[in-house]
Amino acid sequence: MAVLVIADHDGAHVRDTTAKTVTAACAISGDVDVLVLGASLSGAAAGAAAIAGVRKVLTAESAALGQGLAEAVTDLVVSLAGGYDAILTPATSTGKNFIPRIAAKLDVSQISDIIEVVDAKTFVRPIYAGNALETVKSSDAKIVGTVRATAFKAAGEGGSAGIEAAAVPGSAGRHADFVSEEVVKSDRPELAGAKIVVSGGRALGSAEEFHKVIEPLADKLGAAVGASRAAVDAGYAPNDYQVGQTGKVVAPDLYVAIGISGAIQHLAGMKDSKIIVAVNKDADAPIFAVADYGLVADYKTAVPELMEELARIGK
Amino acid sequence: MKVLVPVKRVIDYNVKVRVKPDQTGVDLANVKMSMNPFDEIGTEEAVRLKEKGAATEVVVVSIGPAQAQETIRTALAMGADRGILIQTDQDLEPLAVAKLLAAVIAQETPGVVVMGKQAIDGDNNAVGQMLAALLDWPQATFASGIEISGDTAKVTREVDGGLQVLSVALPAVITADLRLNEPRYASLPNIMKAKKKPIDIKSTADYGVDVANRLTVLKVTEPPKRQGGVKVADVAELVSKLKNEAGVI
């Protein structure tokens, strides 16, 4: 048995999600290879090779792979699939885009959002926005799935796997063409992997207020910025800030919810955080049912006080 | 150009989900069911394409129990032209759904498929991509903007960290994300009109594809409950607890 993990990386580094997916893969088999694909893989391949437990790193470079086009990724992975009993990738927007295409090409029923590996064919995954967990056993010859990285500990470093280039098949079928990309550059940590997340909700009332209140607090804590779906829908924050069932699932050490009521859809995305802080002026808000520390207060007074208090303790 | 919109009948998104005590699944008895919210967005987009003149006909397909006709009627009331129900009481996996849809598409030959990115029951986020794979069509998932000109669609996609724009030659599969549009409420006259629109009832056997499940659900359980903590009196107490008790700052 061997497992292929398709890495999540930014070219220079592999993201933490990759090391966490390697942990899930190691629960299936001791033979775990990592495929690093993209346009320029300078540091990422070396980073993948250093993950403990990795047998071999495969690299594949092309423009289409760098653009994350599902058609190109699928052609490549299907060409390598013969050597593997399982193919996994973190459940990022990129992974969710190509994994089902690979599964269908291999005539396999996909396992989405794995949170626990029971055995090589049996997995636990959330359904109904995390309100239920199902344990499923696959009868397919291969496992193809996405892994919810927050549910696994990152594999350590210290590996020294060999790096080999994989042959990239030419584009055979019809495919989408890349036009452009607008990636927001930020000095803040990435939402999905941040140790601290500060999120704002609908109570903020406007994009200006969100910017003025949430972002400075996040910067003071060295945190990533998140938002509830209500805040995103209202246009206060961009979509990729969204934490919840339909957005990102996060599990930081500290999650600070400002003016978020705590709809089921939001809780699904953050309830595995280690410590949850909620600031809301409605004492009955559902967010308080999951918060370790709840402060019933208007954010308008509480956040400035919080900034001062953090400054006082040297933050 | 014809637009095909698959829609799924799911538990209403406002309903509190309860796991059955015998761990065989989720209790759906006497629970309000609705169209999957992402499929509503897909339907809305298809109807807008027709209103803009980019499409000539909107065909809605649902795969599910007899009551899924109501879901199709909802789409018809929003402005879709006709429906196809593949009636089955089996809880089909995304791969089987994609195979059935591929068979429908072989007959209907639409110019584009617009559908929700995921259903809020199984949360698989798979059918659209699988369908594109089976048809060997290009895919553009998680769309927040669709512009069709001639036989090309320019699709803006929601990706981690921002937006990506793809150009896809039609036919293609496009899956809808939340911000693509805000679905309309059907007006009473349109609800009445929808009752007269045709729905073709089929069975899975009519399409001759393998719909056997590959996954066995061993059990369905409740997630571990998170215990609420304490209310703090003020900001000073909050910061002190975070620093000294939780040790997270």
Side-chain angles (χ1 to χ4, degrees):
Chain A
M1 286 212 86
V3 187
L4 182 67
V5 170
I6 305 165
D8 177 25
H9 67 89
D10 65 4
H13 307 94
V14 280
R15 295 197 176 93
D16 205 29
T17 48
T18 304
K20 290 175 174 174
T21 304
V22 167
T23 300
C26 287
I28 296 176
S29 160
D31 294 326
V32 176
D33 293 351
V34 177
L35 171 63
V36 186
L37 52 83
S40 141
L41 311 169
S42 45
I51 298 173
V54 173
R55 179 179 71 172
K56 180 171 75 178
V57 171
L58 294 167
T59 60
E61 289 182 272
S62 80
L65 292 171
Q67 292 153 353
L69 296 181
E71 296 85 348
V73 176
T74 301
D75 289 347
L76 169 69
V77 175
V78 168
S79 77
L80 299 169
Y84 297 97
D85 305 287
I87 298 168
L88 301 177
T89 201
T92 62
S93 70
T94 314
K96 289 176 185 174
N97 183 39
F98 63 66
I99 274 285
R101 192 169 179 109
I102 294 168
K105 285 286 184 197
L106 296 172
D107 196 31
V108 164
S109 207
Q110 163 184 324
I111 323 263
S112 305
D113 272 319
I114 294 167
I115 58 167
E116 187 187 332
V117 178
V118 178
D119 62 42
K121 293 283 182 192
T122 312
F123 305 89
V124 182
R125 56 176 302 265
I127 52 175
Y128 293 94
N131 285 300
L133 304 178
E134 68 172 4
T135 305
V136 292
K137 188 177 174 68
S138 171
S139 61
D140 280 319
K142 275 188 214 302
I143 298 296
V144 178
T146 56
V147 171
R148 181 170 288 188
T150 53
F152 295 89
K153 284 203 162 63
E157 286 182 19
S160 54
I163 301 176
E164 280 174 29
V168 179
S171 139
R174 298 178 54 225
H175 57 83
D177 291 304
F178 177 84
V179 177
S180 62
E181 195 159 47
E182 218 179 281
V183 174
V184 182
K185 287 264 175 267
S186 168
D187 294 334
R188 297 197 186 97
E190 283 184 49
L191 182 54
K195 295 248 182 294
I196 303 180
V197 173
V198 177
S199 282
R202 181 158 43 193
L204 275 299
S206 71
E208 295 70 45
E209 190 74 355
F210 193 96
H211 180 67
K212 208 174 78 191
V213 173
I214 301 299
E215 293 179 3
L217 179 58
D219 291 341
K220 183 142 250 171
L221 289 164
V225 177
S228 69
R229 174 173 158 184
V232 169
D233 275 353
Y236 306 163
N239 188 65
D240 59 312
Y241 280 19
Q242 192 193 140
V243 172
Q245 177 197 8
T246 54
K248 291 198 174 63
V249 176
V250 300
D253 291 343
L254 173 61
Y255 187 88
V256 183
I258 307 286
I260 291 178
S261 63
I264 293 172
Q265 144 29 74
H266 185 74
L267 300 183
M270 45 66 84
K271 66 182 168 49
D272 294 327
S273 305
K274 201 168 130 211
I275 297 288
I276 296 173
V277 169
V279 177
N280 199 303
K281 65 179 174 187
D282 174 9
D284 297 324
I287 189 87
F288 288 122
V290 301
D292 297 279
Y293 303 114
L295 175 62
V296 181
D298 191 335
Y299 78 86
K300 284 185 181 137
T301 51
V303 172
E305 280 177 41
L306 193 51
M307 296 286 285
E308 266 175 44
E309 191 65 21
L310 288 169
R312 207 179 58 76
I313 64 162
K315 282 275 166 186
Chain B
M1 181 181 69
K2 188 191 287 184
V3 186
L4 191 108
V5 186
V7 298
K8 186 177 186 185
R9 179 178 185 265
V10 298
I11 194 165
D12 187 87
Y13 76 101
N14 276 317
V15 171
K16 170 102 181 80
V17 171
R18 279 176 216 289
V19 172
K20 287 191 208 166
D22 65 0
Q23 301 195 336
T24 55
V26 160
D27 195 357
L28 295 179
N30 305 316
V31 163
K32 184 181 179 205
M33 304 292 280
S34 299
M35 191 195 298
N36 176 40
F38 289 103
D39 297 342
E40 276 188 47
I41 297 172
T43 304
E44 174 67 33
E45 195 66 18
V47 171
R48 288 187 192 185
L49 287 174
K50 191 182 167 190
E51 288 168 349
K52 277 189 277 195
T56 50
E57 189 186 22
V58 177
V59 180
V60 179
V61 185
S62 194
I63 302 169
Q67 299 92 318
Q69 277 192 59
E70 296 160 20
T71 313
I72 294 176
R73 291 278 173 220
T74 306
L76 296 176
M78 288 172 71
D81 297 293
R82 62 184 170 91
I84 299 168
L85 171 63
I86 304 176
Q87 197 174 318
T88 174
D89 289 324
Q90 194 191 337
D91 194 8
L92 298 175
E93 288 167 10
L95 184 63
V97 171
K99 286 180 179 180
L100 285 168
L101 291 175
V104 171
I105 284 163
Q107 295 174 354
E108 292 282 341
T109 62
V112 65
V113 175
V114 182
M115 58 193 291
K117 70 166 180 176
Q118 77 187 66
I120 61 163
D121 49 2
D123 278 339
N124 281 294
N125 191 332
V127 173
Q129 297 90 315
M130 287 182 157
L131 178 60
L134 296 174
L135 297 166
D136 265 319
W137 286 6
Q139 69 184 54
T141 53
F142 322 147
S144 63
I146 302 173
E147 282 170 51
I148 291 185
S149 58
D151 52 5
T152 306
K154 203 166 121 186
V155 180
T156 304
R157 304 180 56 232
E158 307 265 7
V159 295
D160 289 340
L163 298 171
Q164 183 189 53
V165 181
L166 295 181
S167 166
V168 286
L170 302 178
V173 177
I174 302 175
T175 74
D177 215 320
L178 268 186
R179 295 202 301 181
L180 182 58
N181 60 48
E182 249 181 69
R184 69 193 66 190
Y185 289 100
S187 67
L188 190 58
N190 283 341
I191 292 171
M192 301 310 289
K193 252 194 262 171
K195 292 186 177 167
K196 297 206 182 81
K197 292 181 179 174
I199 299 180
D200 215 359
I201 314 271
K202 301 282 202 179
S203 76
T204 54
D206 293 339
Y207 295 94
V209 297
D210 170 22
V211 295
N213 283 348
R214 314 289 186 82
L215 306 178
T216 310
V217 177
L218 300 181
K219 62 177 176 178
V220 174
T221 55
E222 290 215 19
K225 282 241 175 345
R226 191 182 175 105
Q227 295 297 322
V230 296
K231 292 253 171 75
V232 292
D234 52 33
V235 166
E237 188 189 348
L238 174 62
V239 171
S240 152
K241 289 221 188 259
L242 287 177
K243 188 164 193 278
N244 304 318
E245 195 175 273
V248 288
I249 57 171

